[in-house]
Amino acid sequence: MIPNCLEYATKAKAEGRPVVGIMCEYTPRELIMAAGAVPVCLCGGSEKTIADAEHDLPANLCPLIKSTYGYHVQGSNPFIEMADLLVAETTCDGKKKMYELMGQTRPMVVLELPQKPNDPDAFTHWERELHKLKSELERRFGVEITDCKLRAAVETMNTERALRRSLADLMKADSPPLTGRELLELKSSISGIRCDFKQYERALGTLPGRQAVPDAATRVRVLMTGVPMAHGAERVLDIIESHGGLVVAMESCVGLKPILDDVRLNGGGLMHALAEKYFTLPCSVMTTNDRRLDTLATLAAGYRAQCVVELVWQACLTYDVETYRIRQLAEEKLGVPYLRIETDYSPSDSARIGVRVEALFETVRKGAC
Ligand code: SF4
Ligand code: SF4
């Protein structure tokens, strides 16, 4: 959907709508949309920008951070180039420090994301951060974000989440009508595009009954978790699906995690509801992050996962430390095999990953006999 997105953003910009780049799911797109702007995801998934990023950043940094920054220094991501504002957040140390460099030449707002999800003071601080973002958007773009505009944006995003949940639900079938890669391809870098909604509705009408691949019913059903696979960085997913697996559920922030819950529209105030929805995202930056384990257990049951594969980008400490608990959950509570894959954007270890994936599937098949 990237060409569609580029066309959409270019047209919106020409019509005078601001473009706002976001780099994490904690940023509420609703606020940006209510300001009349177009929110575009800027997470980098290309290996080609990393060498240039490494002139300024340490090599031993997560490839997602380096790739995003590489696009910035190269000026090669048209969405970054057309962005009137970047909204970032303190989700991990690497990102936070990279944003300081990016912010030297680009307008940027950094939200401080508190990291204790069960602490009421932390929540209050987060809600205040969102109010500050709202004021900044209003000031910068000369608009008022009224309750009415915010409600409309929330309704649009709730509709989008509901449609994407229904598409994901198709993967619960014995013989899913999509591969995990096809489902991922349906996700757009820009939210709230009406013709995307139409495309989702058409897909929901036509896909049931289709067979993703001839052997869809006998493939190993994989629950994938871990770091986000930005557009262009889907290599591990492809390896899994070219070695006899089918990724029936993807928990990461490019998959189900951000669409499982909607923003409540009844009572409590819209800004409060917005803060609540985003603050409860179970990402590894949170401490403790028990909600991620609960989500994984629910997904494993709902999608009848036969194994868990966890992807960790090199130098992503928070996800890597959490692998201990995810393995424990998979093996001891869910009773399914677990595989941790640590890699970066270079394809040099693809063959080795393929061998490990095959061994995992062999274990699953033996267990099923
Ligand atoms: S994994 Fe978490 S911190 Fe990283 S981009 Fe996704 S939501 Fe943000
Ligand atoms: S994958 Fe990990 S290190 Fe990379 S940006 Fe996300 S949280 Fe930070």
Side-chain angles (χ1 to χ4, degrees), residues 62 65 92 95 227-228 313 316 318:
C62 149
I65 299 174
C92 72
K95 267 187 162 179
V227 294
W313 295 136
C316 176
T318 55

Side-chain angles (χ1 to χ4, degrees), residues 23-26 43 64 89 91 95 226-228 253 257 281 283-285 319:
M23 285 169 277
C24 174
E25 286 296 330
Y26 281 98
C43 286
L64 189 150
E89 29 349 74
T91 41
K95 267 187 162 179
V227 294
C253 72
K257 178 158 47 191
L281 271 177
C283 215
S284 64
V285 295
Y319 270 102

Side-chain angles (χ1 to χ4, degrees), residues 1 160-172 176-188 199-200 203-204 207 210 212 222 229 234 237-238 241 246-252 254-256 259 303:
M1 283 193 173
E160 180 167 311
R161 283 185 278 260
L163 285 165
R164 288 190 51 213
R165 278 197 300 272
S166 301
L167 283 168
D169 274 352
L170 297 174
M171 305 303 281
K172 290 178 177 167
L178 292 157
T179 59
R181 179 58 188 262
E182 285 173 327
L183 182 63
L184 189 60
E185 292 288 326
L186 284 172
K187 182 183 183 294
S188 177
Q199 198 174 330
Y200 292 156
L204 284 168
L207 284 173
R210 174 185 184 246
V222 179
M229 280 182 294
E234 303 90 351
L237 166 59
D238 291 340
E241 297 202 319
L246 200 62
V247 175
V248 289
M250 195 181 307
E251 177 262 353
S252 78
V254 295
L256 287 158
I259 60 170
Y303 290 84

Side-chain angles (χ1 to χ4, degrees), residues 30 33 148-162 194 197 262-263 265 270:
E30 288 88 340
M33 290 156 74
C148 183
K149 289 180 190 169
L150 190 52
R151 178 171 290 271
V154 167
E155 281 169 357
T156 301
M157 283 304 299
N158 281 355
T159 304
E160 180 167 311
R161 283 185 278 260
R194 289 289 163 183
F197 291 13
D262 285 330
V263 177
L265 276 163
L270 278 175

